[in-house]
Amino acid sequence: MSYSIAIHLLSAVIWVGGMIFAHNSLRPAAVQVLEPPLRLELWVQVFRRFFVLVWGSIALILITGYWMLFNYFGGFAGAGNHIHIMHGAGWIMVFVYMYVFFSPYRQLKHAVIVQDYPLAGAQLNRIRKLVGLNILIGMSVIIVASAGRYI
Ligand code: HEM
């Protein structure tokens, strides 16, 4: 349990913390400093690296989460409400991320290659909103997961 909870938490920190950094620090700074072509190219390069970490984090969160659930809580029947909420909200986060990866991110990459910057900007805007949504869900999940057992 000690290893799995540590890996589970670390993965959640990397995923949610990375999104908050990108959304709340890097995005406004890039708007201030860079013109659209360079800024959009920067985001493609940022996402290319960050999404590798996100795929890894998701895999580790799911593996360790189900491992703890079935080895220490005896499956869904033995789990408290905070775990059920984490489980449901966690999957919503995964689906939102997969949608970002396979739809607007793909279109952003293509639009940057063909230098269609208005289209690229529109896709970046979609990603911004969806990442904002996942930040809100992720922070709620962390609150429920950590405080839930004391409620
Ligand atoms: C989607 C499948 C997931 C499963 C099956 C799962 C399962 C679990 C289990 C069994 C625990 C131990 C609970 C306890 O000790 O009371 C746990 C802890 C935790 N999980 Fe998840 N989890 C999932 C997703 C997530 C996600 C997406 C996040 C955050 C973004 C997250 C954040 C946490 C945190 C912060 C804890 C630590 C609670 C604590 O010990 O204080 N989990 N998870």
Side-chain angles (χ1 to χ4, degrees):
M1 180 79 180
S2 56
Y3 287 113
S4 43
I5 191 80
I7 294 169
H8 193 77
L9 261 176
L10 207 57
S11 306
V13 166
I14 290 170
W15 184 10
V16 178
M19 289 194 295
I20 293 172
F21 168 74
H23 190 274
N24 292 37
S25 305
L26 187 55
R27 185 180 58 86
V31 168
Q32 210 174 1
V33 174
L34 299 173
E35 292 302 319
L38 214 51
R39 174 154 37 97
L40 292 158
E41 177 65 38
L42 170 79
W43 278 113
V44 170
Q45 295 303 324
V46 168
F47 290 143
R48 197 165 67 81
R49 289 162 178 83
F50 179 57
F51 286 169
V52 174
L53 289 176
V54 177
W55 281 116
S57 298
I58 288 174
L60 290 173
I61 284 173
L62 295 178
I63 292 166
T64 54
Y66 285 115
W67 199 83
M68 291 187 287
L69 186 61
F70 287 102
N71 281 286
Y72 289 94
F73 293 87
F76 287 101
N81 281 337
H82 68 293
I83 296 180
H84 292 299
I85 294 169
M86 170 167 36
H87 181 236
W91 273 108
I92 293 173
M93 288 178 70
V94 171
F95 286 130
V96 169
Y97 167 69
M98 293 213 304
Y99 177 72
V100 165
F101 188 86
F102 290 110
S103 182
Y105 172 54
R106 275 202 170 166
Q107 294 177 53
L108 169 68
K109 279 193 298 188
H110 184 255
V112 167
I113 289 169
V114 299
Q115 301 189 348
D116 184 345
Y117 295 117
L119 179 65
Q123 299 313 316
L124 188 60
N125 208 28
R126 286 173 70 200
I127 295 175
R128 176 183 62 79
K129 288 182 187 156
L130 290 163
V131 168
L133 174 67
N134 253 2
I135 289 173
L136 290 179
I137 303 174
M139 292 202 304
S140 312
V141 170
I142 290 172
I143 291 169
V144 169
S146 57
R149 79 171 82 154
Y150 303 104
I151 295 171

